[in-house]
Amino acid sequence: MEAIPGTAHGLLEVVALLVPLGVSPLLGLAALGFLAQNELLQLPPGLAWLHPGWVWASLAVLGLSLHLGKSSKLTRPLAETLGTGESLLALLAAFSAVYAHPSVGALASEAAFGSSLVSATAVALMLGTVLMLRAAFDLLIWLSPVPLIDGLFELAKAVLTLVLALLAVLAPAWALGFFALSLLFALLMARWMVRTLKRGIQSLRGRTGPVHAPR
């Protein structure tokens, strides 16, 4: 991936690489590692740990396993619980990718340190908001009584993740646009997200089967 001239554009391209993590963190990271190993993009310093083949292959296997687990209403509660770990990994990856970017993290000064910390925290919070939206939809799908919808939804998420990974390399502006729209939608649906997440958590704790989602 050739960086667009200018510090701001270079940082935005790094943020574009993080967009797939908002849909499927493990598969998104695996896709970035695969593209980097095949020299289709240059990973920023904060994501250089994805380059070894065994790393992104392991992430791909774990990601696909979670998608398969979420494809059934019987195994989805366990997969959702384990999926908390992938969301935390996505937030750590986003923070480190932005924090280590040369435009905000390379200068050894107190001002640069503050700028780096604020920028990395802001991006991580934005990604976290999108991940909450994803979690709300995950729980809504699980609460739905419609057969096969879980598997179709997980397949759609996997395909979307791969598409966003390619967009982040070929057309970063489009990936950033998708991220901005997702973030805006999440902010507008904040109250619905909180209600859905609360209802889903209660169902995960106290029920053995799906119930109707709140409206």
Side-chain angles (χ1 to χ4, degrees):
M1 179 182 63
E2 295 292 335
I4 300 173
T7 295
H9 291 294
L11 181 58
L12 288 178
E13 285 190 341
V14 173
V15 176
L17 291 178
L18 304 173
V19 174
L21 277 58
V23 180
S24 179
L26 293 180
L27 283 186
L29 290 170
L32 295 181
F34 173 81
L35 292 172
Q37 192 178 59
N38 287 275
E39 300 182 351
L40 296 174
L41 70 86
Q42 182 178 358
L43 289 172
L47 296 178
W49 56 276
L50 292 173
H51 198 277
W54 69 269
V55 173
W56 61 259
S58 300
L59 292 174
V61 171
L62 291 174
L64 289 174
S65 297
L66 281 179
H67 278 283
L68 289 175
K70 292 180 181 181
S71 297
S72 169
K73 293 191 181 298
L74 293 177
T75 58
R76 192 174 190 105
L78 176 60
E80 290 288 357
T81 302
L82 297 176
T84 304
E86 71 165 349
S87 296
L88 293 177
L89 179 60
L91 296 179
L92 289 174
F95 184 90
S96 63
V98 176
Y99 186 81
H101 190 270
S103 68
V104 292
L107 299 178
S109 68
E110 184 176 350
F113 173 78
S115 175
S116 171
L117 187 61
V118 170
S119 299
T121 302
V123 171
L125 287 175
M126 288 188 289
L127 180 61
T129 303
V130 175
L131 284 169
M132 286 183 61
L133 178 64
R134 186 206 66 161
F137 274 110
D138 280 346
L139 289 171
L140 186 64
I141 291 297
W142 179 66
L143 295 171
S144 170
V146 180
L148 303 179
I149 191 173
D150 299 77
L152 293 175
F153 184 65
E154 292 306 312
L155 177 61
K157 282 166 54 181
V159 172
L160 179 60
T161 299
L162 298 179
V163 170
L164 290 174
L166 291 175
L167 278 180
V169 176
L170 302 175
W174 284 88
L176 286 171
F178 177 86
F179 183 72
L181 289 176
S182 299
L183 179 61
L184 178 60
F185 184 70
L187 294 175
L188 292 175
M189 300 293 291
R191 293 182 62 184
W192 171 82
M193 284 187 346
V194 172
R195 289 199 305 268
T196 302
L197 289 171
K198 285 183 178 179
R199 182 68 176 273
I201 291 173
Q202 291 174 357
S203 297
L204 287 171
R205 288 178 176 177
R207 297 179 183 271
T208 57
V211 294
H212 291 290
R215 295 182 179 180

